[in-house]
Amino acid sequence: MATVVVFLLFLLPLLSHHLTAAVSSSGSGGTRLRFFWHDISAGPDPSAVLVAQSATRSSSSFGTVKVMDDPLTAGPNRSSLLVGKSQGIYVSADKETAGLLMAMTFSFVVGKYNGSTLAVVGRNEVKTETREMAITGGTGQFRQARGHAQARTHSFDPTTD
């Protein structure tokens, strides 16, 4: 198994996260990736949209469900080289704080990882400096991948949320 480390830099609402991932897959000694994840919830072309909302109100948005098709870039600017997409869902699953259950696939579109994917699932407590989620599989260069992804918020612009 190869190990892949993925560093995510989320850009939520235009939140920019830095993501690092460590991944292992068959026949590889390990891989470290670093890219920026742009999650845009507002504006003319959002990459994350609300699909369900709880009937109850809470400060943590408990019960909210969003679907995402977020760009992954080589640098922190949205205009940086597109290296892939993060596609999946996130659910506000904590009544007390901004704690998300995330299930997503990182699909890569450039270089030697073009066409390969990583499956990521886990808790993302947004206000925590460094968050860690499990890499539970992959395809292509990341077939049978396992490892972890670390996310750090790079920037946050509430006007795009």
Side-chain angles (χ1 to χ4, degrees), residues 11-16 38-41 78 155-157 160-161:
L11 293 169
L12 292 177
L14 189 61
L15 174 60
S16 176
H38 304 263
D39 189 67
I40 303 152
S41 298
R78 180 117 191 258
S155 65
F156 177 75
D157 181 353
T160 60
D161 190 12

Side-chain angles (χ1 to χ4, degrees), residues 12-23:
L12 292 177
L14 189 61
L15 174 60
S16 176
H17 299 274
H18 166 248
L19 176 73
T20 303
V23 181

Side-chain angles (χ1 to χ4, degrees), residues 4 10 14 28 33 36 43 46-47 50 65 79 88 127 129 140 142 156 160:
V4 174
F10 294 88
L14 189 61
S28 166
L33 303 172
F36 292 79
S47 63
L50 180 69
V65 179
S79 60
K127 295 180 181 177
E129 184 175 341
F142 300 120
F156 177 75
T160 60

Side-chain angles (χ1 to χ4, degrees), residues 60 80 104 157:
S60 69
S80 297
M104 61 198 142
D157 181 353

Side-chain angles (χ1 to χ4, degrees), residues 132-156:
E132 190 169 287
M133 292 170 276
I135 295 173
T136 59
T139 64
Q141 293 291 315
F142 300 120
R143 184 172 291 125
Q144 297 180 351
R146 63 180 181 180
H148 67 279
Q150 290 183 335
R152 295 177 188 85
T153 300
H154 177 75
S155 65
F156 177 75

